[in-house]
Amino acid sequence: MVARAREGDARAVARLISLVEDASPLLREVMAGLAPHAGHAQVVGITGSPGVGKSTSTNALVGELRRAGKRVGVLAVDPSSPFSGGALLGDRVRMQDHATDRDVYIRSMASRGHLGGLAWTTPQALRVLDAAGCDVILVETVGVGQSEVEIAGLADTTLVLLAPGMGDGIQAAKAGILEIGDLYVVNKADRDGADQVTRDLRSMLALADRPEGAWKPPIVSTVAARGEGLEAVAAEIDRHHAWLEESGELARRRTRRARDEIEAIAVTALRARWGDVHGRSELDGLAAAVVAGESDPYTAADALLDDIGG
């Protein structure tokens, strides 16, 4: 499957990502096979409040990247179905323009309750698309507002979308929004209030404390539904990538990303090894001691860890 994915076989790529999502026992073998071929793709995160046009912008940006001759992968993280646990597929429906293009791979992934706008398996899915030869991978997040800052730790370049008439003048001032963006895109720029959103955003970015030589996020106006402004967005993405390489920030970001991924896998493995803590009989006795004032929660937790470790 790894060999077929390397050759651009969409079915093999789909199967590998399904193994990732299902936490297959083959996953370690798959990741070992992919590792020598990964690390080349440019990862671009696209985030913003619901309704700003993330899916439409992603679809238009894919078209711009394809005109530049780049092979593109898209991971569209959707909310989970309350019935099946799967992705609702709304994002992929909006990207049917590229459904027959062999050099575009689009995959909807269910968030499955994971906070931060991403699915917990997104880093491994990225590695699959990277090894399969994608030049650029676009990661579109769920759209959950203030908590959606996790994408900044996963992407090389993070696009924050805003739109007029959605309270984004206030949204831009919220904690995290001004810190995560490498590029700000004011979409639906043909609507009233777009210029005001741009002015508010520019004023707020000017107040940010940035060290000497740091990247200064540009602001681009677009009308994604008509494909307007996407050429400028693609140009700014390339300019940011060049800055990342020249400054050494790209290596630092990718090392931090790998460290976080290793930590997440290790913590998940430890949880599985320890089993269900709630089902342990020792927990009842420790809880009773805390309630009776004979112990405190920290001492009880240490005792539980000692028992599990032993």
Side-chain angles (χ1 to χ4, degrees):
M1 277 193 294
V2 170
R4 294 207 313 274
R6 290 281 300 152
E7 294 168 1
D9 185 334
R11 293 183 66 181
V13 173
R15 182 80 176 108
L16 288 173
I17 294 179
S18 293
L19 292 177
V20 168
E21 290 192 295
D22 296 339
S24 167
L26 296 172
L27 195 52
R28 280 175 167 74
E29 186 179 346
V30 167
M31 288 298 126
L34 293 173
H37 309 293
H40 307 291
Q42 187 177 352
V43 181
V44 178
I46 300 176
T47 188
S49 304
V52 296
K54 291 192 299 298
S55 296
T56 304
S57 296
T58 301
N59 182 60
L61 186 55
V62 169
E64 190 62 42
L65 293 169
R66 288 294 297 125
R67 279 188 285 276
K70 296 180 179 180
R71 194 174 185 198
V72 184
V74 179
L75 290 178
V77 183
D78 272 344
S80 300
S81 164
F83 302 104
S84 66
L88 295 178
L89 307 181
D91 292 323
R92 193 158 60 181
V93 168
R94 296 189 187 96
M95 299 181 200
Q96 288 304 300
D97 295 353
H98 310 288
T100 58
D101 190 338
R102 288 178 56 86
D103 287 316
V104 176
Y105 184 86
I106 301 171
R107 174 72 174 235
S108 290
M109 298 183 70
S111 60
R112 299 186 182 181
H114 185 78
L115 298 178
L118 300 175
W120 75 273
T121 52
T122 305
Q124 288 80 40
L126 276 174
R127 186 169 286 106
V128 173
L129 292 180
D130 189 353
C134 290
D135 299 307
V136 181
I137 303 171
L138 304 178
V139 183
E140 182 196 335
T141 64
V142 170
V144 293
Q146 295 179 72
S147 66
E148 197 170 347
V149 297
E150 193 174 305
I151 185 63
L154 186 69
D156 300 326
T157 301
T158 301
L159 272 66
V160 176
L161 266 68
L162 302 99
M166 303 192 65
D168 277 342
I170 301 299
Q171 183 74 15
K174 291 181 179 177
I177 296 296
L178 294 179
E179 285 81 6
I180 68 171
D182 298 306
L183 169 59
Y184 291 87
V185 177
V186 179
N187 190 32
K188 305 181 183 179
D190 54 340
R191 293 188 179 181
D192 292 340
D195 291 342
Q196 186 61 48
V197 172
T198 302
R199 283 194 295 270
D200 291 346
L201 186 56
R202 187 171 288 117
S203 298
M204 291 170 191
L205 288 173
L207 295 174
D209 184 21
R210 301 184 189 279
E212 186 69 27
W215 172 259
K216 295 181 180 178
I219 304 170
V220 178
S221 296
T222 65
V223 184
R226 298 203 298 257
E228 297 175 8
L230 274 301
E231 186 177 348
V233 172
E236 291 294 353
I237 291 172
D238 287 341
R239 191 168 72 87
H240 182 247
H241 191 70
W243 177 84
L244 288 172
E245 290 184 321
E246 291 168 8
S247 65
E249 181 64 20
L250 183 63
R252 287 191 289 271
R253 288 190 182 193
R254 291 187 173 181
T255 300
R256 186 167 61 243
R257 184 193 310 168
R259 185 182 63 197
D260 291 344
E261 186 179 358
I262 293 166
E263 181 182 332
I265 292 170
V267 169
T268 301
L270 285 172
R271 283 175 180 160
R273 191 175 300 171
W274 286 349
D276 183 8
V277 172
H278 281 283
R280 300 183 69 90
S281 58
E282 304 94 320
L283 190 56
D284 291 334
L286 292 168
V290 170
V291 171
E294 299 167 1
S295 181
D296 64 87
Y298 289 94
T299 301
D302 289 340
L304 181 62
L305 288 171
D306 289 342
D307 184 69
I308 293 172

